[in-house]
Amino acid sequence: MKESAYGDLSIIAMRGCEEFVEQVDSYIQEWRRHDSEGTFIAEASCPRFGSGEGKGLIRDSMRNRDVYIIADVFNHGVTFNMYGQTVPMSPDDHFQDIKRIIGAIGGKAKRITVLMPMLYEGRQHKRTSRESLDCAIALQELSQMGVSNFITFDVHDTRVQNAIPLCSFDNFRSTYQMIKALVAEYPDIDFDKEKIMIVSPDEGAMGRCMYYSSMLGIDLGTFYKRRNYSVIIDGKNPIEAHEYLGHNPNGMDVIVVDDMISSGESMIDVATQLKERGANRIFIFTAFGLFCNGLSMMDKAYEEGLFTRIMTTNLIYRTPELLARPWYHEVNMCKYVAYIIDTLNHDQSVSGLLDQSKRIRKLITEHNKKIGKQ
């Protein structure tokens, strides 16, 4: 039996997160059906003036409440009007709206938690020259405004939490949900180390790939990116080549794991090289699919047989076009997020939710029985 709540629960859905939050809310309502009088979603908005300026507005009292603000700062599917033009919201616009809502709460809440699945400016997490540390600055700014807990998923680099050492910062993995989705869609998948392996697309993804490898008991290979550091294109140093290190993927299924797909160029290059080395089916696991340059590149790669399926979570915005693609599979994370919020609201430890090892091992054991393996 759960302990009493830390405070009355209020969930605020920032623009673009409404559908996701409704699913989260429905789970919590079901679990608390004997105690709940209805939705836990607080009515809030960020209206805009014609100049593009905005303000935060909350229509429910937040006094002494345990508030969870859920924000997808990468949702470019929502827009606002500015000087008669329709403008898509950028990550900066979404981040400003988070601050507006915190400002509207006015210090009345008992506790404020920001759940930002893909961390704002998470790729700008370290300094390599005279450049800004945007993610660290953003975390510090929200902390100074009264946010005590930060929740994110598959963060690009967990060391960014060092910017706010006195705040709670929890990074959850989508590993279990990804593997569960794979065995459901491909029941013939065999996690024998002679038949399947994990591949990291670059050195930055090695940590999460090592976790997959150890949990599944299979081999790990990796690519490393050789960049041209003398030039900057689209805010980054261009990749000149991917070099492969590791077990020969010839005749094997391969799972490529990364935190995100931006343009998709690097992932296609990795898949191409794996196919040239004789890889069988290639499954791409990535928590966040941005596809900044559109989908045509991935369509062409799929038609050429370079990969079998791309799986991303529903933690950030997916365009209707992406959802309709035959090569795409969505992994629903709503129930997991609901568990996290429900647990924290009862002021209990989330260690069991952070550690997915037992659930993964149970899933693999049950799958092995289904395919006739002991």
Side-chain angles (χ1 to χ4, degrees), residues 266-280:
S266 294
M267 198 61 75
I268 290 174
D269 189 26
V270 165
T272 300
Q273 291 204 41
L274 288 171
K275 281 294 184 181
E276 290 174 350
R277 288 172 167 80
N280 186 18

Side-chain angles (χ1 to χ4, degrees), residues 338-351:
Y339 275 130
I340 294 168
I341 292 176
D342 187 55
T343 301
L344 287 174
N345 180 236
H346 284 94
D347 215 24
Q348 294 184 325
S349 172
V350 292
S351 297

Side-chain angles (χ1 to χ4, degrees), residues 74 76 118 123 236 260-264 289-295 297-298:
F74 293 87
H76 57 92
M118 185 173 178
R123 284 185 285 178
K236 58 187 179 182
M260 60 176 286
I261 291 178
S262 182
S263 67
L290 301 178
F291 302 102
C292 298
N293 294 353
L295 303 174
M297 187 189 310
M298 308 308 292

Side-chain angles (χ1 to χ4, degrees), residues 15-16 46-48 75-82 85-90 93-94 97 317:
R15 285 197 66 190
C46 290
R48 298 268 178 168
N75 193 325
H76 57 92
V78 291
T79 61
F80 64 93
N81 292 322
M82 183 171 69
Q85 301 180 62
T86 300
V87 182
M89 289 187 68
S90 70
D93 294 315
H94 284 289
D97 277 358
Y317 176 65

